[in-house]
Amino acid sequence: MLIRYSVENFRSIRDRQELSLVASALKDLPNALIRVEDFSQSLLPVVAIYGANASGKTNLLKALRFVCDSVRDSQRLWAPANQIERPPFRMDEFRSRASAFEVDFLVSGSRFRYSFSLNDEEILSESLQAFPQGKSQLWYERENGKFTFGRSLYGENRTIESLTRRNSLFLSAAAQNNHVLLTPIFDWFCEQDFVLGGRSVSPNDRVVSLCKDDSHRDLLLKLLAAADLGVTGYRVEESEWPDEAKKIFDHVKQLLPSAVKMPDKLATLMLVHGAGENEAVFPITEESSGTSALLKIIGPAIKSLEHGSVLCVDELDASLHPLLALHLVKMFNDSETNPKGAQLVFNTHDTNLLDNDVLRRDQVWFTEKDRRGATHLYPLSDFRPRRNENLERGYLQGRFGAIPFLGTAKFHPLGSSEDNE
């Protein structure tokens, strides 16, 4: 479970910004809380981020994905001689400074804090702390190429240190070498899921795999029925790969032998549409963009609820109808439908969700850019709104900021008299 994370000098984020999923003392929606044994604070299952276009909402999600990708891939896939592909803040001198990330999280009920900083050439610092019984315990620390290991971190630490490149993370190298204590930490980062670029509507392979698993059939059909798309069923048809596709896979496998595995069969998702007694079957490629977008998000959502992982969704309103977005938020926010403490972090422009019966006041955050073009993140709770206050109206009226400034420009129809004066 995610407790909080922070980022500094990444894309539009200049100064350190932190997103917290720690619940406040508010009495709103008491069932919308995650309580973990031996952890004193309750956590939020849902966080919504609002803000004007280009205010940095997506970059906050991309920052967490960058951390997860770096943990998973830096030792295995990053080329030793290449620069690190990190996008810093480019509007001033910060472009040459280090980017820094920190994540506070729970693994099997135990709290950890992981952080690292890097520039274009190397990892500058990296550390992992554990908190048994709430007390900080250093497992390892890396600073300018020098490593310090705590007594609690047993294993082949020095051997793995010698295998860790200057441009890869020790945590990534440790997992590649089956470090007993660090592999569960590595796995936690790999389990988190992201649906970024909300207007891309191609369902991925995970959705097809999910549909092939009959244990999810009832839930999938229930969600498809709730979407009122006319879909009454589905099936997965398998066929041989075209020869051209096999050649492409063989070529890529030669370049990245450990990263590519070609499925034995080409799987195509087919949706069944019913109209009275009639029935028709269509491949997903012939479905509407709305149907495809829904399927793109359903797979990761079910996986997250099933495993208790984090799901980050960019532009939730671009992927789902408002009523479906509302349904999804309520599924994560209800301990009955979310018994394993899955968490949904998303950005949106959908003000229908700004309802005291849908989101707690501490589940709403905003992004805004300053005059330098730097993103600032702040919670709704900073404004201390009343429990029954109309949050949607307050947001649209600009009380909380994070809305576009439209100025006073006037727009006239083409060919109007003003155009010819």
Side-chain angles (χ1 to χ4, degrees), residues 165-181:
R165 301 190 309 274
R166 61 194 294 263
N167 70 338
S168 66
L169 296 168
F170 179 82
L171 180 56
S172 181
Q176 295 303 315
N177 289 275
N178 300 314
H179 195 292
V180 174
L181 290 183

Side-chain angles (χ1 to χ4, degrees), residues 257-303:
S258 63
V260 177
K261 182 179 180 182
M262 185 177 185
D264 295 332
K265 298 284 186 177
L266 173 62
T268 303
L269 178 61
M270 312 289 291
L271 296 185
V272 181
H273 290 256
E277 297 181 356
N278 298 319
E279 193 174 82
V281 181
F282 297 93
I284 188 60
T285 53
E286 295 183 16
E287 293 287 349
S288 69
S289 60
T291 300
S292 297
L294 172 63
L295 286 166
K296 179 183 177 184
I297 201 171
I298 277 182
I302 291 178
K303 175 215 165 191

Side-chain angles (χ1 to χ4, degrees), residues 371-413:
R371 293 182 178 180
R372 297 172 300 185
T375 295
H376 292 266
L377 174 70
Y378 55 95
L380 170 65
S381 56
D382 280 358
F383 297 88
R384 303 194 178 191
R386 298 184 306 278
R387 185 169 186 174
N388 295 318
E389 184 172 334
N390 189 321
L391 301 178
E392 180 180 17
R393 183 171 61 190
Y395 174 60
L396 292 175
Q397 289 177 345
R399 184 188 163 199
F400 313 126
I403 60 174
F405 175 70
L406 300 180
T408 57
K410 295 182 180 180
F411 298 91
H412 302 285

Side-chain angles (χ1 to χ4, degrees), residues 129-416:
Q129 293 172 274
F131 294 84
Q133 288 78 51
K135 297 181 179 179
S136 176
Q137 182 184 87
L138 179 68
W139 276 22
Y140 73 86
E141 187 174 47
R142 170 187 190 177
E143 194 73 37
N144 295 322
K146 296 182 179 180
F147 285 79
T148 301
F149 297 101
R151 288 181 295 179
S152 300
L153 188 68
Y154 57 83
E156 300 297 324
N157 300 323
R158 292 299 177 187
T159 300
I160 296 172
E161 175 191 350
S162 67
L163 299 173
T164 305
R165 301 190 309 274
R166 61 194 294 263
N167 70 338
S168 66
L169 296 168
F170 179 82
L171 180 56
S172 181
Q176 295 303 315
N177 289 275
N178 300 314
H179 195 292
V180 174
L181 290 183
L182 295 181
T183 296
I185 309 299
F186 171 89
D187 290 341
W188 184 87
F189 284 99
C190 294
E191 288 167 1
Q192 312 322 315
D193 214 340
F194 300 84
V195 180
L196 303 185
R199 302 193 183 276
S200 172
V201 295
S202 299
N204 54 37
D205 292 338
R206 289 172 300 166
V207 176
V208 176
S209 298
L210 191 77
C211 291
K212 291 170 69 175
D213 186 346
D214 287 338
S215 65
H216 300 111
R217 178 170 290 274
D218 289 342
L219 180 55
L220 274 167
L221 289 176
K222 182 179 178 181
L223 291 171
L224 289 170
D228 196 23
L229 300 170
V231 177
T232 58
Y234 65 84
R235 61 174 179 256
V236 177
E237 295 185 354
E238 294 186 331
S239 59
E240 296 294 331
W241 284 94
D243 291 338
E244 189 63 28
K246 291 180 181 179
K247 291 179 182 178
I248 294 173
F249 268 103
D250 289 341
H251 180 67
V252 174
K253 190 173 182 178
Q254 291 177 3
L255 299 174
L256 298 169
S258 63
V260 177
K261 182 179 180 182
M262 185 177 185
D264 295 332
K265 298 284 186 177
L266 173 62
T268 303
L269 178 61
M270 312 289 291
L271 296 185
V272 181
H273 290 256
E277 297 181 356
N278 298 319
E279 193 174 82
V281 181
F282 297 93
I284 188 60
T285 53
E286 295 183 16
E287 293 287 349
S288 69
S289 60
T291 300
S292 297
L294 172 63
L295 286 166
K296 179 183 177 184
I297 201 171
I298 277 182
I302 291 178
K303 175 215 165 191
S304 178
L305 290 166
E306 189 173 56
H307 297 285
S309 57
V310 180
L311 172 62
C312 295
V313 181
D314 181 33
E315 297 184 3
L316 185 68
D317 49 315
S319 299
L320 298 178
H321 185 279
L323 290 179
L324 285 173
L326 176 65
H327 185 66
L328 181 66
V329 169
K330 287 187 172 182
M331 285 182 67
F332 275 82
N333 244 358
D334 190 335
S335 58
E336 291 188 8
T337 51
N338 183 14
K340 295 188 178 180
Q343 292 168 296
L344 173 66
V345 180
F346 67 94
N347 64 52
T348 184
H349 295 291
D350 184 2
T351 58
N352 293 304
L353 300 175
L354 289 173
D355 187 307
N356 293 293
D357 293 327
V358 179
L359 291 172
R360 290 166 51 97
R361 286 167 287 173
D362 54 4
Q363 290 182 305
V364 179
W365 289 70
F366 301 109
T367 54
E368 198 167 56
K369 277 188 177 179
D370 61 22
R371 293 182 178 180
R372 297 172 300 185
T375 295
H376 292 266
L377 174 70
Y378 55 95
L380 170 65
S381 56
D382 280 358
F383 297 88
R384 303 194 178 191
R386 298 184 306 278
R387 185 169 186 174
N388 295 318
E389 184 172 334
N390 189 321
L391 301 178
E392 180 180 17
R393 183 171 61 190
Y395 174 60
L396 292 175
Q397 289 177 345
R399 184 188 163 199
F400 313 126
I403 60 174
F405 175 70
L406 300 180
T408 57
K410 295 182 180 180
F411 298 91
H412 302 285
L414 290 176
S416 64

